[in-house]
């Protein structure tokens, strides 16, 4: 039997007692969030490619990662409020269960929304609709429901986030919740946002859908997974850590503290990156394919030959909303029993607070808890430039204004700043994104995907679905010649367009 040295980028396949070396593509993935790591895991477990993941941070997970603070007995803190939804693709959910085992907890949803000074359970429960809704709000929703029974005036052809939700949900729900909440989250009025934002961001986009969600929580009518979510015992970042570990075990490289500087397009591609820490210095890696999960606007600025001027200009028309996460360490066992509170009121600066201990029902630390307060903003605005002390005071004042005053001592204030928290779908953003998307799609053996790569409002299970789809488009058998299946990827892209965020 003849045995040859296996060249880098190849796997040895055995068939009929003969050994052979079959070259498989080298894939470099930019970004170690769920999309990038999910793709790395799929490609390596199927032996479809050799994979290197480049991540500029010292940790994996991106905005879906977790971190820890000293003195909290290992309590994991997430970058905001994250859940894995039962709507996940069955194969993805099965893989995560296999990777996480008993650490993937099945938890009840237990949040609250403040409406006109009243706390309403979220997701909505039938008893709240009867007992806790402000009578004026309930009367307004009832009147809106009656009005929907009669033919509405034809739309003038120009739709927006505001017109879609006001038509479908009624003026009461729109005025009291979505109108102020949209302004806080995206920083612009609801009328300035594209109608696509309504279709992609609001899962209960009509009164009928909203009532269906409520009925799904009624015993006897309860749908599988209704009112529940999955959450890792070690924090939401445990999902990304598990995917990274599994990919590494299958032979992938995950290079952290690695900032991509330039992508030289060619055959092969050459990626220049700079590493910090133990392996500090400039390095170059070659790739047959570059799969990018970084913001598509950043990708356009990195390539050589340079992207055309109109593509760079289109990138300036793509906007992201930033977020400051304010963590308050409290000298008490628990702040409330609820996992999250939502604040649509324009007078309250925060949009949401979450209590990490309640997501996984942890009891440790026994005398400490942490609140994660979410403050949407713009990079370099007045809030972005605030000190940690000032932001702690802002969060404390907002909670007091909402009727949730902090009575325990605040032991520590820590902040994290996310520059790309939410895509903003301004009216007409599509022309800018479509130019970028068509340009990226024209690049040989380059793929842009994931939440940031497709400028998408998506949950983690959607990002993982993109990763699995991308792997499906590479030939599964290295013996079979073939390239990335662009036609199949287009079919998947049409499916991605139907994704709606699960709140």
């Amino acid at each position: 039997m003849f045995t040859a040295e296996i060249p880098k980028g190849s796997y040895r396949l055995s068939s009929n007692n003969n050994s052979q070396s079959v070259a498989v593509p080298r894939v470099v993935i930019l970004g170690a969030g769920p999309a990038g790591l999910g793709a790395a895991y799929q490609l390596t477990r199927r032996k479809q490619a050799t994979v290197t993941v480049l991540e500029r941070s010292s940790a994996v997970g991106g905005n879906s990662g977790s971190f820890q603070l000293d003195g909290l007995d290992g309590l994991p803190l997430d970058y905001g409020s994250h859940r894995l939804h039962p709507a996940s693709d069955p194969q993805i959910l099965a893989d995560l269960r296999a990777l996480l085992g008993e650490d993937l907890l099945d938890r009840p949803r237990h949040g609250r929304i403040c409406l006109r000074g009243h706390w309403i359970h979220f997701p909505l429960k039938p008893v709240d609709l009867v007992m806790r809704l402000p009578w004026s709000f309930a009367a307004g929703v009832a009147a809106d429901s009656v009005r929907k029974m009669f033919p509405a005036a034809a739309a003038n052809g120009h739709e927006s986030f505001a017109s879609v939700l006001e038509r479908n949900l009624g003026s009461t729900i729109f005025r009291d919740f979505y109108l102020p909440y949209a302004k806080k989250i995206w920083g612009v009025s609801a009328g300035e946002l594209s109608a696509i934002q309504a279709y992609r961001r609001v899962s209960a986009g009509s009164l009928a859908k909203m009532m269906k969600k409520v009925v799904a929580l009624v015993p006897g009518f309860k749908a599988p997974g209704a009112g529940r979510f999955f959450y890792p015992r070690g924090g939401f970042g445990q999902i990304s850590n598990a995917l990274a570990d599994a990919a590494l075990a299958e032979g992938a490289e995950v290079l952290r503290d690695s900032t991509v500087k330039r992508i030289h397009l060619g055959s092969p591609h050459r990626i220049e990156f700079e590493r910090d820490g133990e392996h500090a210095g400039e390095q170059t890696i070659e790739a047959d394919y570059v799969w990018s999960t970084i913001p598509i606007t950043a990708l356009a600025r990195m390539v050589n030959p340079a992207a055309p001027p109109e593509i760079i200009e289109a990138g300036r028309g793509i906007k992201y909303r930033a977020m400051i996460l304010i963590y308050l360490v409290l000298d008490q066992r628990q702040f409330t029993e609820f996992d999250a509170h939502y604040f649509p009121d324009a007078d309250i600066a925060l949009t949401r607070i979450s209590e990490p201990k309640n997501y996984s029902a942890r009891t440790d630390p026994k005398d400490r808890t942490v609140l994660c307060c979410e403050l949407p903003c713009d990079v370099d605005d007045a809030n972005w430039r605030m000190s940690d002390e000032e932001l702690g005071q802002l969060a404390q004042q907002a909670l007091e204004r909402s009727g949730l005053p902090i009575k325990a001592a605040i032991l520590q204030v820590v902040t994290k700043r996310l520059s790309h928290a939410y895509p903003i779908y301004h009216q007409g953003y599509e022309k800018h994104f479509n130019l970028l998307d068509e340009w990226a799609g024209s690049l040989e053996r380059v793929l842009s995907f994931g939440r940031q790569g497709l400028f998408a409002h998506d949950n983690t299970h959607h990002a993982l679905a993109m990763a699995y789809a991308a792997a499906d488009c590479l030939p599964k058998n290295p013996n079979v010649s073939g390239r990335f299946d662009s036609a199949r990827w287009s079919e998947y892209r049409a499916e991605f367009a139907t994704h709606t965020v699960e709140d």
Side-chain angles (χ1 to χ4, degrees), residues 211-274:
M211 291 308 302
K212 186 176 180 179
K213 285 178 173 283
V214 173
V215 172
L217 297 175
V218 178
F221 296 91
K222 197 164 187 177
R228 306 194 69 82
F229 67 99
F230 297 107
Y231 188 82
R233 194 186 309 274
F236 201 76
Q238 189 176 356
I239 292 175
S240 293
N241 289 331
L243 289 168
D245 290 344
L248 286 167
E250 295 288 354
E253 283 188 299
V254 179
L255 305 184
R256 310 178 195 210
D257 297 311
S258 300
T259 302
V260 176
K261 297 297 185 179
R262 181 69 63 184
I263 303 166
H264 298 278
L265 302 176
S267 185
H269 301 310
R270 287 189 304 109
I271 301 96
E272 295 178 359
F273 61 101
E274 186 172 352

Side-chain angles (χ1 to χ4, degrees), residues 226-434:
R228 306 194 69 82
F229 67 99
F230 297 107
Y231 188 82
R233 194 186 309 274
F236 201 76
Q238 189 176 356
I239 292 175
S240 293
N241 289 331
L243 289 168
D245 290 344
L248 286 167
E250 295 288 354
E253 283 188 299
V254 179
L255 305 184
R256 310 178 195 210
D257 297 311
S258 300
T259 302
V260 176
K261 297 297 185 179
R262 181 69 63 184
I263 303 166
H264 298 278
L265 302 176
S267 185
H269 301 310
R270 287 189 304 109
I271 301 96
E272 295 178 359
F273 61 101
E274 186 172 352
R275 299 195 71 182
D276 295 328
E278 181 181 354
H279 303 284
E282 296 181 357
Q283 299 185 25
T284 300
I285 189 172
E286 292 185 345
D288 298 306
Y289 289 92
V290 173
W291 287 11
S292 174
T293 69
I294 65 176
I296 191 171
T297 50
L299 177 66
R301 295 192 298 269
M302 288 181 179
V303 296
N304 178 42
E310 61 268 24
I311 299 303
I312 301 300
E313 184 61 30
R316 297 189 181 100
I318 295 293
K319 304 294 183 183
Y320 292 85
R321 184 71 159 157
M323 173 84 76
I324 302 174
L325 302 172
I326 309 165
Y327 299 88
L328 306 178
V329 181
L330 306 184
D331 187 20
Q332 65 184 102
R333 182 185 64 84
Q334 187 181 46
F335 184 64
T336 73
E337 66 182 83
F338 298 95
D339 48 41
H341 293 78
Y342 300 81
F343 308 106
D345 193 330
D347 293 332
I348 299 170
L350 306 175
T351 52
R352 175 171 59 185
I353 67 166
S354 52
E355 190 166 358
K357 281 177 74 172
N358 295 348
Y359 277 63
S360 57
R362 291 180 65 110
T363 57
D364 293 328
K366 299 187 185 303
D367 59 348
R368 299 283 189 277
T369 194
V370 179
L371 300 182
C372 175
C373 309
E374 300 181 19
L375 178 66
C377 63
D378 292 320
V379 172
D380 209 34
D381 70 6
N383 287 335
W384 187 266
R385 295 193 300 269
M386 281 186 178
S387 67
D388 284 5
E389 181 181 2
E390 291 171 324
L391 288 167
Q393 292 172 353
L394 180 152
Q396 188 174 6
Q397 292 166 2
L399 289 173
E400 185 169 355
R401 188 173 292 116
S402 75
L404 293 173
I406 295 175
K407 298 180 180 179
I410 299 177
L411 303 176
Q412 189 179 4
V413 178
V414 175
T415 64
K416 301 288 184 180
R417 287 166 170 78
L418 311 179
S419 59
H420 293 73
Y422 296 123
I424 306 175
Y425 287 4
H426 288 101
Q427 291 274 7
Y429 88 96
E430 304 98 314
K431 66 180 181 182
H432 303 296
F433 174 72
N434 288 342

Side-chain angles (χ1 to χ4, degrees), residues 27 39-49 51 291 471 474:
V27 177
Y41 172 54
Q42 283 297 93
L43 290 175
T44 53
R45 75 190 290 210
R46 299 175 178 183
K47 306 297 188 239
Q48 291 174 260
V51 176
W291 287 11
L474 267 188

Side-chain angles (χ1 to χ4, degrees), residues 170-253:
S171 59
T172 304
I173 293 175
F174 171 72
R175 181 187 63 244
D176 282 32
F177 185 80
Y178 286 104
L179 182 64
Y181 209 56
K183 177 68 173 178
K184 289 168 67 173
I185 289 182
W186 293 297
V188 297
S189 69
E192 295 177 72
L193 294 171
S194 168
I196 297 174
Q197 191 112 37
Y199 295 123
R200 296 277 185 89
R201 192 61 181 82
V202 183
S203 58
S206 68
L207 285 174
K209 288 182 179 179
M210 185 171 289
M211 291 308 302
K212 186 176 180 179
K213 285 178 173 283
V214 173
V215 172
L217 297 175
V218 178
F221 296 91
K222 197 164 187 177
R228 306 194 69 82
F229 67 99
F230 297 107
Y231 188 82
R233 194 186 309 274
F236 201 76
Q238 189 176 356
I239 292 175
S240 293
N241 289 331
L243 289 168
D245 290 344
L248 286 167
E250 295 288 354
E253 283 188 299

